[in-house]
Amino acid sequence: MTLPEAVTAVFLGLLEGATEFIPVSSTGHLLLAGHFLGFESSGKTFEVVIQLGAVLAIVIAYFAKLVWVFGSAPRDPAARRFIGAVLLAFLPAAVLGAALHDVIKTVLFETPRLIAIMLILGGIVLLLVDRLPLRPRYDEADRLPFGTALGIGLCQCLALVPGVSRSGSTIVGALLLGVSKRAAAEFSFFLSLPTMGGAVAFDLYKNRDVLSFDDVGLIAIGFAAAFLSGLLVVRGLLGFVSRRGYGVFGWWRIVVGTVALILLSLRF
């Protein structure tokens, strides 16, 4: 591992944590940044595994809530219902992601132009949904009906295409299903735990034969950077979207996608 590689790993880790929980597609940002920086990891494992840093940020930020949920589940129906809703929302992407893993990693992850287009299209959708006169019916992330949770989970399947955004697809789906802006973001946080944890575990298993010691060092650096930036974003995001909504992220996506398309057209 060289110093430039380590610096790149820090940058990509910070980028991952900063974009994982906002609806702009952390994977899309990582893949585009890696493409323009000339950074490649075995089987794209670095880009997937450093997401665990962001997962740890959620665990730390919501540690008390998680302890309460799992600690009270044996005696509290509401806690069991919340766990069931998150697992139900996780199921569709888990099944489809496992079935399409090879296509996603070998085709979609290697198509930066597609990623840029998805960023732009997703930004337009986010702007339109943010301006709809939606009337929320559900204000608490831990009290969503199973049908609503499943609908959010089906929307999450769209994020198997890099550039769509896992948080973006789940938040937009939740908003359209009557969830408030704050609760939509919070449910997306909790849904990220089984989704990202499962994706990392499956990816490590699939790429177990191509990992090297150098990969482990870079992943550790990226993991730490993703944790730090992810923790900052998680602690500030709910208040921000409650006041400002999601429009700014739609413009962010459009700008990044457009710049990426321009650079790609110049054969950067």
Side-chain angles (χ1 to χ4, degrees):
M1 177 174 56
T2 65
L3 179 59
E5 288 176 333
V7 172
T8 301
V10 170
F11 170 73
L12 293 177
L14 292 173
L15 183 63
E16 156 61 29
T19 57
E20 180 59 51
F21 302 112
I22 59 178
V24 300
S25 180
S26 62
T27 301
H29 278 67
L30 282 181
L31 293 176
L32 287 174
H35 173 81
F36 293 125
L37 292 172
F39 177 86
E40 292 187 20
S41 64
S42 303
K44 297 295 182 184
T45 301
F46 174 90
E47 291 84 347
V48 174
V49 176
I50 64 170
Q51 294 178 62
L52 281 179
V55 171
L56 181 59
I58 285 288
V59 172
I60 296 300
Y62 283 91
F63 185 75
K65 174 88 170 183
L66 291 170
V67 169
W68 174 82
V69 169
F70 288 102
S72 61
R75 62 183 183 279
D76 188 342
R80 292 197 298 272
R81 183 180 181 84
F82 178 47
I83 294 172
V86 172
L87 292 178
L88 183 62
F90 159 69
L91 190 59
V95 173
L96 196 59
L100 299 177
H101 178 270
D102 292 343
V103 173
I104 294 169
K105 293 299 290 292
T106 60
V107 179
L108 299 183
F109 269 42
E110 301 292 343
T111 315
R113 194 174 302 276
L114 172 65
I115 296 170
I117 292 172
M118 288 299 102
L119 283 172
I120 294 171
L121 293 178
I124 294 172
V125 170
L126 202 57
L127 287 173
L128 292 175
V129 172
D130 193 56
R131 295 178 182 181
L132 289 176
L134 301 174
R135 295 186 177 180
R137 290 173 291 159
Y138 311 109
D139 292 316
E140 298 182 54
D142 56 358
R143 295 184 180 276
L144 299 185
F146 285 143
T148 301
L150 180 59
I152 294 171
L154 291 172
C155 290
Q156 183 172 236
C157 292
L158 297 173
L160 294 173
V161 179
V164 171
S165 171
R166 186 205 62 80
S167 59
S169 60
T170 55
I171 287 172
V172 167
L175 293 174
L176 293 176
L177 290 170
V179 183
S180 70
K181 292 178 179 179
R182 182 184 181 91
E186 193 168 23
F187 188 81
S188 180
F189 287 169
F190 287 108
L191 181 54
S192 73
L193 295 177
T195 301
M196 293 161 61
V200 170
F202 189 73
D203 196 75
L204 284 175
Y205 170 76
K206 294 288 286 186
N207 290 285
R208 62 192 182 281
D209 296 328
V210 299
L211 291 175
S212 69
F213 181 77
D214 284 345
D215 291 323
V216 174
L218 290 174
I219 287 170
I221 293 172
F223 176 97
F227 166 72
L228 292 174
S229 58
L231 191 59
L232 291 174
V233 170
V234 167
R235 287 180 170 173
L237 182 62
L238 294 183
F240 179 86
V241 299
S242 296
R243 299 188 304 271
R244 303 289 298 276
Y246 294 98
V248 64
F249 303 119
W251 288 115
W252 177 341
R253 294 176 61 111
I254 292 170
V255 170
V256 172
T258 301
V259 170
L261 283 179
I262 292 172
L263 293 176
L264 289 169
S265 68
L266 297 174
R267 301 184 185 275
F268 187 93

